[in-house]
């Protein structure tokens, strides 16, 4: 007689009953793929700039003397001061730490699924779904904190559960859960969303025993509150705010546009992971939710997290923002995969889901403003090369007043490797830009505003570098039209540049790049005078010659520009 459920297959039950080897294999596959596809997102280097300044005695700042919380991963950033202090490669350290956190995430997902579903086979299926998840694989070795948040969140969720899926009455596990919850919050403050739902379910279920509930709540809250209160006190004193500056920089645009872009982001994420293949199995969740009461807060927390992603308008990194909810969704997936409706159909479904997940290792999504890891890694590589070239041309220390000041649209690898003072024109690490930046006509995740030109002038910026890829120098070029520069720096009015501002073409190993030379600097002048860098005037008038419709790209038309009022 054919089996009607995965958990009824004898061989699976035997394997799942002693999960050590299969779990080790899953960890090896997941971490192996992660290591083979390791990469770096530019945002990782934003944190490394903060970490380096801390390690070198300047404090947790982006630029010396500017106290702005331009990161959202305090614990991750704090930890990375150690390898930098000992002159280790922080990216390699991130890759190793992220791989360890990925292993912890796989193991904790298995344990949580065991406790919630009370079935060894389904727990192994959930762990497998986590281990082969393309987004989790890629972001475990991306340089950012994604998997550390997942690991600490899962630790907080699973520690207070007994083997039979009940809330333990022992105090020790609650203290452990408190430590993991505090670490998750110190890693990313938005971890609170899932923690509140999960522990809210605990309070609701255990309210019949007030004395025991009070003891366990105290063990859950008090130990973790010590570092969290200290952190909050320090943030208020050091930065003057409990919330990071990045929140203002990323969520101040049109709510309607953010909602629509977030909706597209979630829809593309669902399609790209093969969710339509599971539509016919959604009805299996209803009896499972009745049978497994802890599945309810897990599904609720995942739903709340997707609403959070919708509220912030999605993200520009390929579905990294959804990673915290993915282990919980993997447990729900195990429930939906359990029924067997024909052997061939079951195999086809599993292969299809695996193919959709594996596609995230290589393919680019179809969501506006979202980049896949391959594109992001290439961008970071170009920024690193540019930063290393600037460091070679302008040696010295951050305290040297004669070195150029940069304005950058990618505030990670370029400032990190150049070691030059940098103004973040997107406002993530600059509180003035976050509060007074100019908004585009259309919302793109993480890139919805830019610094006004007059602010860059006040900051005495010498070079504006908004890397747009390599250019092909034209030997017969005489100047740059304003309309040729608006894609390079959209939204703002480039007519506000100082009258003497010019455009530089800087040769690098991958080609030449643009830079707007906004304020004179002797070291830059020497590079221009000896022909190392080529300089061109900016054609500003008449406007009919300085602004041509043919120069405007779709991006500029989407974002808008104040530079060329004669064009639409």
């Amino acid at each position: 007689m054919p089996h009607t459920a995965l958990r009824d297959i004898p061989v699976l039950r035997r394997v799942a009953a002693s999960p050590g080897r299969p779990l080790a294999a899953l960890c090896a596959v997941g971490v192996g793929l992660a290591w083979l596809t390791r990469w770096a997102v530019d945002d990782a280097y934003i944190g490394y700039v903060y970490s380096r300044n801390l390690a070198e005695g300047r404090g947790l700042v982006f630029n010396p003397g500017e106290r702005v919380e331009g990161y959202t991963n305090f614990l991750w950033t704090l930890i990375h001061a150690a390898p930098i202090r000992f002159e280790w490669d922080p990216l390699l350290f991130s890759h190793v730490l992220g791989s360890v956190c990925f292993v912890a995430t796989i193991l904790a997902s298995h344990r949580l699924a065991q406790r919630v579903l009370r079935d060894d086979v389904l727990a192994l299926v959930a762990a497998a779904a986590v281990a082969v998840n393309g987004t989790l694989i890629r972001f475990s070795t991306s340089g950012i904190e994604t998997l550390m948040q997942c690991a600490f969140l899962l630790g907080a969720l699973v520690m207070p559960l007994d083997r039979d899926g009940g809330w333990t009455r022992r105090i020790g596990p609650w203290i452990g859960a408190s430590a993991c919850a505090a670490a998750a919050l110190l890693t990313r403050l938005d971890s609170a969303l899932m923690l509140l739902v999960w522990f809210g379910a605990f309070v609701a279920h255990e309210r019949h025993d007030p004395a025991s509930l009070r003891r366990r709540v105290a063990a859950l809250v008090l130990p973790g509150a010590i570092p969290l209160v200290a952190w909050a006190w320090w943030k208020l004193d050091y930065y003057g705010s409990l919330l990071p500056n990045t929140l203002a920089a990323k969520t101040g645009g049109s709510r309607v546009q953010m909602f629509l872009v977030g909706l597209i982001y979630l829809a593309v994420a669902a399609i790209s992971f093969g969710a339509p293949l599971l539509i016919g199995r959604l009805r299996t969740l209803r009896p499972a939710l009745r049978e497994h009461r802890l599945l309810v807060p897990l599904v609720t927390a995942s739903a709340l997290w997707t609403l959070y992603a919708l509220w912030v308008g999605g993200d520009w990194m390929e579905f990294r923002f959804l990673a915290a909810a993915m282990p919980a969704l993997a447990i729900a997936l195990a429930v939906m995969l359990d029924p067997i409706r024909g052997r061939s159909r079951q195999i086809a479904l599993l292969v299809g889901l695996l193919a959709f997940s594996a596609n995230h290792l290589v393919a680019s999504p179809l969501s506006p403003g979202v980049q896949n890891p391959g594109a992001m890694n290439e961008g970071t590589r170009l920024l690193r090369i540019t930063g290393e070239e600037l460091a070679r041309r302008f040696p010295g220390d951050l305290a040297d007043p004669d070195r150029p000041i940069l304005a950058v649209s990618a505030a990670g690898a370029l400032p990190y490797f150049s070691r030059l003072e940098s103004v973040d024109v997107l406002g993530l690490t600059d509180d003035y830009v976050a509060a007074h930046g100019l908004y585009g006509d259309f919302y793109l995740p993480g890139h919805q505003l830019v610094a006004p030109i007059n602010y860059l002038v006040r900051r005495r910026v010498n070079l504006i570098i908004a890397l747009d890829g390599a250019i092909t120098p034209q030997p017969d070029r005489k100047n740059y039209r304003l309309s040729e520069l608006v894609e390079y720096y959209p939204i703002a009015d480039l007519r506000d540049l100082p009258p003497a501002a010019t455009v530089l073409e800087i040769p690098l190993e991958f080609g030449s790049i643009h830079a707007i030379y906004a304020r004179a600097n002797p070291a830059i002048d020497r590079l221009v005078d000896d022909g190392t860098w080529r300089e061109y005037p900016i054609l500003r008038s008449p406007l009919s010659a300085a602004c041509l419709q043919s120069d405007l790209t779709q991006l500029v038309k989407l974002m808008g520009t104040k530079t060329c009022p004669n064009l639409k």
Side-chain angles (χ1 to χ4, degrees):
M1 181 177 178
H3 298 289
T4 59
L6 290 176
R7 52 184 161 172
D8 294 333
I9 300 176
V11 66
L12 290 182
R13 296 214 65 82
R14 286 196 299 272
V15 170
S18 301
R21 288 184 178 179
L23 282 175
L26 288 174
C27 291
V29 169
V31 172
L33 288 171
W35 195 260
L36 288 173
T37 57
R38 62 190 183 277
W39 59 292
V41 62
D42 186 67
D43 279 25
Y45 285 96
I46 296 178
Y48 299 162
V49 172
Y50 278 90
S51 301
R52 184 174 62 194
N53 281 328
L54 178 62
E56 295 178 352
R58 301 184 189 92
L60 208 52
V61 296
F62 187 74
N63 289 315
E66 299 176 15
R67 294 187 176 187
V68 180
E69 189 181 6
Y71 56 87
T72 55
N73 51 3
F74 171 76
L75 186 57
W76 183 264
T77 301
L78 191 67
I79 288 172
H80 279 75
I84 292 174
R85 178 69 180 82
F86 292 106
E87 299 184 351
W88 301 339
D89 179 2
L91 182 60
L92 176 60
F93 183 85
S94 290
H95 288 162
V96 173
L97 181 57
S99 297
V100 171
C101 290
F102 191 19
V103 170
T105 297
I106 295 169
L107 298 179
S109 297
H110 176 263
R111 179 62 61 88
L112 182 61
Q114 276 185 322
R115 300 296 193 253
V116 171
L117 303 179
R118 301 191 298 280
D119 186 273
D120 293 336
V121 171
L122 296 187
L124 200 57
V125 171
V130 170
V132 300
N133 181 294
T135 293
L136 297 179
I137 288 171
R138 293 310 303 266
F139 279 95
S140 64
T141 51
S142 64
I144 57 177
E145 75 290 346
T146 306
L147 268 294
M148 192 163 89
Q149 180 188 26
C150 289
F152 281 131
L153 268 176
L154 288 167
L157 269 54
V158 74
M159 277 192 175
L161 297 179
D162 281 330
R163 289 182 179 274
D164 62 357
W167 301 102
T168 183
R169 290 178 174 273
R170 294 181 295 122
I171 297 302
W174 287 100
I175 295 174
S178 180
C180 285
L185 290 166
L186 289 169
T187 303
R188 283 189 64 93
L189 199 54
D190 53 13
S191 300
L193 291 174
M194 299 198 77
L195 294 172
L196 286 172
V197 173
W198 185 251
F199 292 115
F202 155 67
V203 171
H205 185 266
E206 300 292 303
R207 65 185 184 277
H208 63 278
D209 187 354
S212 176
L213 177 62
R214 282 194 297 269
R215 287 194 300 272
R216 287 178 286 176
V217 168
L220 173 66
V221 172
L222 295 180
I226 296 172
L228 290 174
V229 170
W231 178 46
W233 187 286
W234 172 80
K235 276 164 64 85
L236 281 172
D237 179 66
Y238 196 77
Y239 294 123
S241 174
L242 285 175
L243 297 176
N245 183 69
T246 52
L247 184 66
K250 289 186 174 184
T251 60
S254 165
R255 298 309 312 178
V256 173
Q257 289 183 2
M258 291 175 70
F259 175 82
L260 292 175
V261 172
L263 200 60
I264 295 171
Y265 174 84
L266 293 175
V268 173
I271 293 169
S272 68
F273 276 102
L277 299 177
L278 297 167
I279 291 176
R281 293 183 173 238
L282 284 175
R283 62 177 178 268
T284 62
L285 275 179
R286 181 177 295 179
L289 290 171
R290 289 196 297 267
E291 180 183 358
H292 309 293
R293 57 181 175 77
L294 288 177
L295 192 59
V296 176
L298 273 185
V299 172
T300 303
S302 300
L304 183 62
W305 195 274
T306 58
L307 290 176
Y308 168 50
L310 184 64
W311 179 74
V312 299
D315 187 35
W316 70 279
M317 300 185 213
E318 187 183 347
F319 312 127
R320 178 267 325 205
F321 205 86
L322 301 175
M326 286 178 177
L329 292 173
I331 295 174
L333 174 65
V335 171
M336 288 188 281
L337 291 178
D338 186 36
I340 299 176
R341 297 167 184 168
R343 181 177 178 182
S344 59
R345 290 176 61 186
Q346 190 80 0
I347 293 173
L349 175 61
L350 293 173
V351 170
L353 290 172
L354 184 62
F356 272 105
S357 184
N359 189 53
H360 288 262
L361 299 177
V362 293
S364 178
L366 301 175
S367 186
V370 178
Q371 295 184 25
N372 78 318
M376 288 185 277
N377 187 50
E378 177 62 13
T380 304
R381 186 183 73 86
L382 301 185
L383 289 162
R384 175 174 185 160
I385 292 171
T386 305
E388 290 172 339
E389 172 67 8
L390 294 177
R392 186 172 72 87
R393 297 295 183 185
F394 309 112
D397 187 75
L398 281 168
D400 187 345
D402 296 328
R403 301 177 78 216
I405 298 174
L406 306 181
V408 296
S409 60
L414 185 49
Y416 181 83
F417 288 103
S418 69
R419 296 187 68 100
L420 293 170
E421 180 180 341
S422 302
V423 177
D424 178 5
V425 302
L426 300 182
L428 300 180
T429 65
D430 191 294
D431 53 357
Y432 180 89
V433 178
H436 305 288
L438 304 173
Y439 285 91
D441 295 337
F442 187 78
Y443 169 78
L444 289 177
H447 303 90
Q448 60 176 331
L449 52 75
V450 298
I453 297 297
N454 56 18
Y455 174 65
L456 303 185
V457 173
R458 292 201 306 273
R459 288 291 304 267
R460 303 171 70 84
V461 165
N462 301 105
L463 292 176
I464 303 173
I465 302 180
L467 192 64
D468 55 354
I471 62 168
T472 302
Q474 301 174 19
D476 58 346
R477 179 183 284 280
K478 304 300 182 189
N479 54 50
Y480 274 86
R481 295 183 295 274
L482 282 172
S483 54
E484 290 182 280
L485 302 177
V486 292
E487 182 174 25
Y488 187 73
Y489 202 100
I491 305 173
D493 193 341
L494 296 179
R495 293 174 297 171
D496 291 336
L497 286 167
T502 58
V503 175
L504 300 177
E505 289 183 355
I506 303 174
L508 299 166
E509 65 179 64
F510 61 84
S512 295
I513 64 165
H514 293 123
I516 297 176
Y517 188 16
R519 179 183 176 84
N521 175 274
I524 296 175
D525 288 341
R526 286 193 292 271
L527 291 170
V528 172
D529 292 341
D530 66 16
T532 302
W533 291 2
R534 301 184 67 176
E535 183 178 28
Y536 298 90
I538 299 174
L539 179 62
R540 300 169 181 251
S541 62
L543 208 56
S544 58
C547 289
L548 302 183
Q549 187 73 39
S550 58
D551 290 334
L552 301 189
T553 64
Q554 281 301 119
L555 176 65
V556 173
K557 293 175 182 177
L558 188 68
M559 298 296 292
T561 178
K562 295 178 172 61
T563 300
C564 297
N566 60 319
L567 304 179
K568 293 184 179 180

